[in-house]
Amino acid sequence: MDVVAVVLMVAALGLAVWRPRGLSEAAVAVPAAVAAVVLGVVEPDRAWDELRELSSTVLFLAALLVISFACSALGVFDWVARLIAHRAASPGGAGHPTGHRLFGLVFAAAAITTAALSLDATVLLLTPVLLSMTSALRVPARPHSYATVTLANSASTLMPVSNLTNLLAFAATGLGFVEFTALMALPWLVTLIVEFGLFCWYFRTDLAVAPGPDVLDEPGPAPRAPLIVLAATLAAFGVSSLVGIEPVWCAVAGAVAMASLAWRGRTCGVRALAMSAQPGFLLFVCALGVLVAGISDGAIGGRLADLLPDGTGLLDLLIVAGVAAIAANVINNIPATLLMLAALGGGAPAALILAMLLGVNIGPSLTYLGSLANLLWRNLVSKQGHPVKVAEFTAVGLVTVPLTLVSSVVALWLVT
């Protein structure tokens, strides 16, 4: 049965990577999950329990996707790009305009967008406008493009809402929203500092090109209404545990409010807002949960559980993060998260689960398969005339991932 479970998982992931003729990720994953139940790889009761446990996470994800799409429709990302371009091209402030100033602003925008709106917003919504901005400023796009995809993975460690992997593991940590964010704040900050330094070194030639000083148009007024709704939603996440409300309902309320703004402003219709929740991807996540259950309940899951430590020392955290990073690059970070959670078992120390999240969020930058964000980014930038070479993608990952992962785990160990 282990072989059957692995074959079904490979088939589901293979289509998600290949996406022939634009087929949804669920086109093979859902039939594979059904086959797993029919063939006895996963018991029906086990599959139902898995789907029930995933239901709130999937609803949370759907709400975040709607919020991100509505923000884009309401001009939030366009305004951010114009603001960055204006400030980077202006010779005022700290002297002459430099590529490093522009890159610093792009880096900060990508990190904040990922943390507040999830990695999908950074890859699908922020990246296109930033690429257009680099073209207007006549600077090399490479460092900015690679920064968005790298930060879409690595900067998603801060809050439970920053990544689907965090949402999947949030309940298992036993932490509230504020506690989770507080513990991950130092590792997140260390991640940004280390990666920024490494990027500045690796892309030093590209960043020596200063942005064109003639692009000085004012960014215009900020889209206040969506920014206020976004800020209120994030604040609601913070107080939700204090008042006994599940954070998912804060996300749903934020999605309804943001969608209403977009609909009333006639920037997008009801159908577009509904489809922005990506129902195919939501079904894909549910199917993966069932498929991973077949693997985690078998011999593979048992061996992985025996391999992982149960302590919270620095070496223990490094081992868990390292195994998680390897698993993410081999089978993708979503199933890797589900598999690692099962292997760690119920009642695992929060520090171990947070170390696992560092691994599945920072680690995927090594390979295209590491996360679906990598694949979405590759397709997007290629369509915009910025083809990506596998060798360079891997080289950037090798430069950034090892040092960043170790540094962030040490930071986690210091605060736990």
Side-chain angles (χ1 to χ4, degrees), residues 28-47:
V28 168
V30 171
V34 172
V37 175
V38 172
L39 295 174
V41 176
V42 183
E43 293 295 325
D45 289 344
R46 176 77 168 91

Side-chain angles (χ1 to χ4, degrees), residues 133-149:
M133 178 201 70
T134 59
S135 177
L137 293 175
R138 301 192 301 278
V139 295
R142 284 196 322 150
H144 311 286
S145 179
Y146 276 104
T148 57
V149 68

Side-chain angles (χ1 to χ4, degrees), residues 6-413:
V6 171
V7 168
L8 292 173
M9 173 66 77
V10 169
L13 290 175
L15 183 99
V17 172
W18 184 28
R19 295 290 298 277
R21 298 183 180 181
L23 284 176
S24 167
E25 299 93 341
V28 168
V30 171
V34 172
V37 175
V38 172
L39 295 174
V41 176
V42 183
E43 293 295 325
D45 289 344
R46 176 77 168 91
W48 175 250
D49 288 342
E50 189 69 26
L51 291 175
R52 187 175 55 190
E53 290 179 10
L54 284 173
S55 60
S56 62
T57 298
V58 169
L59 179 59
F60 212 141
L61 176 61
L64 293 175
L65 290 171
V66 172
I67 290 173
S68 298
F69 177 79
C71 279
S72 178
L74 291 164
V76 172
F77 298 110
D78 288 331
W79 174 77
V80 169
R82 292 195 304 270
L83 183 64
I84 290 174
H86 178 73
R87 292 193 174 181
S90 173
H96 296 292
T98 66
H100 287 87
R101 187 199 305 178
L102 173 64
F103 182 67
L105 292 169
V106 168
F107 205 88
I112 294 171
T113 299
T114 298
L117 287 174
S118 85
L119 59 87
D120 295 291
T122 300
V123 170
L124 295 175
L125 305 175
L126 182 64
T127 299
V129 297
L130 290 180
L131 290 178
S132 297
M133 178 201 70
T134 59
S135 177
L137 293 175
R138 301 192 301 278
V139 295
R142 284 196 322 150
H144 311 286
S145 179
Y146 276 104
T148 57
V149 68
T150 300
L151 290 167
N153 291 312
S154 63
S156 67
T157 57
L158 181 60
M159 294 189 286
V161 299
S162 304
N163 197 333
L164 173 58
T165 55
N166 299 1
L167 291 175
L168 291 170
F170 181 40
T173 65
L175 302 171
F177 189 96
V178 174
E179 295 173 290
F180 182 105
T181 305
L183 286 174
M184 293 299 262
L186 182 60
W188 183 76
L189 184 60
V190 168
T191 294
L192 299 186
I193 293 172
V194 171
E195 285 186 338
F196 183 77
L198 292 173
F199 263 83
C200 286
W201 171 78
Y202 187 85
F203 291 104
R204 57 193 178 278
T205 302
D206 289 334
L207 295 178
V209 180
D214 55 329
V215 187
L216 296 173
D217 293 339
E218 291 289 340
R224 295 180 60 185
L227 290 176
I228 289 172
V229 171
L230 179 59
T233 303
L234 293 175
F237 289 147
V239 302
S240 60
S241 58
L242 301 178
V243 296
I245 298 175
E246 291 293 326
V248 61
W249 301 118
C250 300
V252 170
V256 171
M258 199 74 80
S260 298
L261 287 177
W263 178 72
R264 289 176 61 187
R266 298 183 179 179
T267 56
C268 55
V270 174
R271 175 178 171 77
L273 287 165
M275 294 306 295
S276 71
Q278 301 181 30
F281 183 67
L282 301 181
L283 288 173
F284 172 72
V285 173
C286 293
L288 279 186
V290 175
L291 292 171
V292 171
I295 296 176
S296 62
D297 292 347
I300 296 175
R303 292 193 186 99
L304 181 60
D306 293 337
L307 173 66
L308 297 178
D310 55 10
T312 57
L314 178 58
L315 182 59
D316 299 320
L317 299 183
L318 286 170
I319 291 173
V320 168
V323 171
I326 294 170
N329 282 287
V330 172
I331 62 171
N332 185 266
N333 64 344
I334 297 174
T337 299
L338 294 168
L339 185 60
M340 290 291 294
L341 286 172
L344 288 170
L352 283 182
I353 297 175
L354 296 179
M356 180 272 293
L357 287 176
L358 291 175
V360 297
N361 290 344
I362 296 172
S365 293
L366 282 170
T367 65
Y368 283 142
L369 183 60
S371 74
L372 292 178
N374 296 349
L375 301 169
L376 293 171
W377 170 83
R378 181 189 63 180
N379 294 336
L380 187 150
V381 297
S382 296
K383 289 178 180 178
Q384 292 211 343
H386 302 281
V388 180
K389 297 179 180 178
V390 175
E392 184 171 63
F393 184 91
T394 303
V396 174
L398 289 173
V399 166
T400 58
V401 170
L403 183 57
T404 302
L405 184 58
V406 171
S407 300
S408 65
V409 172
V410 171
L412 175 65
W413 174 68

